[in-house]
Every structure is written in structure tokens, then in C-alpha cells.
Amino acid sequence: MLNVTIDGVRVEAHEGETILSAARRAGADIPTLCWMKDINEIGSCRVCVVEVEGQDGLAAACNAPVFDGMSVRTKSPRIVEARRFSVKTILSKHRGECTTCKRSGTCALQSLASSLNVGELEREPDYRREAWDGSFPLQRDASKCISCLRCVAECSKVQHCSVWDFSGSAGQRSVGVKESLSIDVAKCALCGQCITHCPTGALTERDDIDKVLAALADPDVLTVVQVAPAIRTA
Ligand code: FES
């Protein structure tokens, strides 16, 4: 076992364990946004940054492994400022307009911005605009996507559908339907799990989802109807 100190609290950790995992055992409260345990530990949003004694830069707690004798601070003015910077960077590419967003009140980004006291940005955000098939039960708004890849990970690693994919590297990533297919031919199972795991309003269901699913209620599309409740709980 490895000995690690988090905010002065000593905990044992195992080889390969992340700072985030050990820190939670020590009672530390580190925010996360892109992270999903075991399936999306890409360290992209950097809202989980912490200070590691002896290191100049900040570490992403969600994917930096612990080492024996490591001492970590999860709270300091520098950390708060870095997290605020990360959230502002994300917001600079996100169409806010929270008051009209379906996810207002349940949006992880909105909640994080509020807890870090990040208000209006100095510049208008520069977000993506993409057309979407409004007749499909699942709706995607690219202007709200923060490229956290949670939908990609959930769809490919858990649901084994791989409807979503991304292109570009860190900072320039964009998410879309795999191979730029139209969503209606991408073999989406309508499980709703990408909606559930999307931290913003980028993925939602149609407002009239019940009507849409009722119209689909014939034996040929029984699978769609059976999995529909997963969408409604998103
Ligand atoms: Fe750690 Fe996103 S939660 S980088």
C-alpha cells in the first residue's frame, strides 16, 4: 500500500489509484465534470485540479495517479482560481442562455459555475452551430456541447452502441454522430443513457417524447418503446 496525505489527512492508497479516489476516502470534496469512474478518465475539463507538493503545475485529480509519500492540497486560492479559469474556458464555447435551457437547474456546468462564483463572461461565447433532425426522439444541441466525451464513453463502453464519436485533439474536440452519419441511420437504441450522462443541455429528449413514442408503438419498433422510460428519467 502507498501512504498519501490529502489536506493533512493520511490515507492508504493502492498502486495506480487516482488522487481523486484517494481524496474522496480522505473526505476531500473535489469537483468533477468530464470524469466518469473507470470509463471516462481523460482529464480534459480540469475542474478537478489540485496541488501536489513538490510539483510546480497543478494536477488533474481524476487521472493523476498517487505515489508513496505524496502530499496533496485540494483547497487554496490558487486552486480555486485555476478551477474558475477552467470553467470560464468551457463557458467561452458554450451557449449559456440558461433561462431557456431544459437542463437549467440540473446542469452540472451551471451548478459548478455558480459554486465557483463564475458570472458573466467578458466576451460573447464562440460556440458551434449544427443542424439536427428535429423529428428524432433524441435531440442534440451542439452549441451546448462541452466536448467532455461522457456521451461517447457511455455509448461505446457501457451501451456498446458507439453512436457518438469525436474528432480533433484536446481543446479543439468536437463530438458528433459517428462517421458523420445522420442520427436516424446510426443505430441509436434510444436507451437515453447519453442524455442521462450529459452534464449540460447538449443532449435532451423531444418535448413531445410521449407522443413520439406512442406513434412508434407497433411491433416492429417494440424495442424503442420498451427502453423509453430510460429517456424520461434523464
Ligand atoms: Fe478531472 Fe475533468 S473531472 S479533468
Side-chain angles (χ1 to χ4, degrees):
M1 293 301 272
L2 310 174
N3 288 307
V4 180
T5 305
I6 314 277
D7 295 333
V9 177
R10 290 191 58 174
V11 287
E12 288 194 331
H14 57 79
E15 195 78 46
E17 187 171 6
T18 62
I19 295 174
L20 179 66
S21 170
R24 288 192 166 171
R25 241 183 0 269
D29 183 18
I30 299 175
T32 60
L33 194 56
C34 66
W35 176 78
M36 285 165 70
K37 185 170 167 42
D38 297 332
I39 63 167
N40 201 42
E41 300 189 335
I42 57 174
S44 89
C45 74
R46 293 191 64 82
V47 304
C48 65
V49 289
V50 294
E51 290 175 349
V52 177
E53 195 175 283
Q55 293 182 3
D56 287 340
L58 298 175
C62 70
N63 74 352
V66 294
F67 56 80
D68 195 35
M70 183 185 234
S71 180
V72 174
R73 283 218 300 176
T74 71
K75 289 176 246 164
S76 73
R78 180 187 176 208
I79 290 169
V80 171
E81 221 23 71
R83 289 176 183 166
R84 282 170 51 83
F85 179 79
S86 299
V87 170
K88 283 182 186 171
T89 303
I90 295 166
L91 287 172
S92 72
K93 297 176 191 160
H94 171 83
R95 185 168 62 89
E97 298 177 18
C98 299
T99 51
T100 55
C101 181
K102 256 185 167 177
R103 289 296 299 272
S104 185
T106 60
C107 170
L109 178 59
Q110 181 189 41
S111 156
L112 193 57
S114 167
S115 67
L116 288 168
N117 214 12
V118 174
E120 292 271 305
L121 299 184
E122 282 148 27
R123 289 194 199 155
E124 281 294 301
D126 181 19
Y127 47 80
R128 291 173 66 83
R129 294 169 181 84
E130 271 173 29
W132 187 258
D133 176 0
S135 68
F136 200 73
L138 182 156
Q139 292 295 291
R140 180 165 191 272
D141 183 344
S143 69
K144 304 259 177 186
C145 178
I146 60 170
S147 300
C148 63
L149 306 192
R150 288 169 63 106
C151 58
V152 178
E154 175 66 24
C155 190
S156 62
K157 296 179 185 169
V158 181
Q159 306 304 322
H160 304 292
C161 286
S162 298
V163 167
W164 305 110
D165 202 358
F166 69 96
S167 57
S169 51
Q172 300 298 327
R173 272 193 211 112
S174 71
V175 175
V177 179
K178 67 178 172 192
E179 297 161 15
S180 301
L181 291 172
S182 165
I183 184 66
D184 59 332
V185 295
K187 297 202 166 69
C188 171
L190 289 180
C191 68
Q193 290 306 304
C194 58
I195 298 175
T196 302
H197 291 88
C198 177
T200 70
L203 292 169
T204 56
E205 63 189 31
R206 276 176 57 165
D207 290 336
D208 57 350
I209 189 71
D210 289 327
K211 262 196 235 161
V212 173
L213 294 170
L216 290 173
D218 71 59
D220 292 341
V221 288
L222 197 55
T223 310
V224 172
V225 177
Q226 283 171 340
V227 297
I231 297 183
R232 282 196 287 268
T233 60

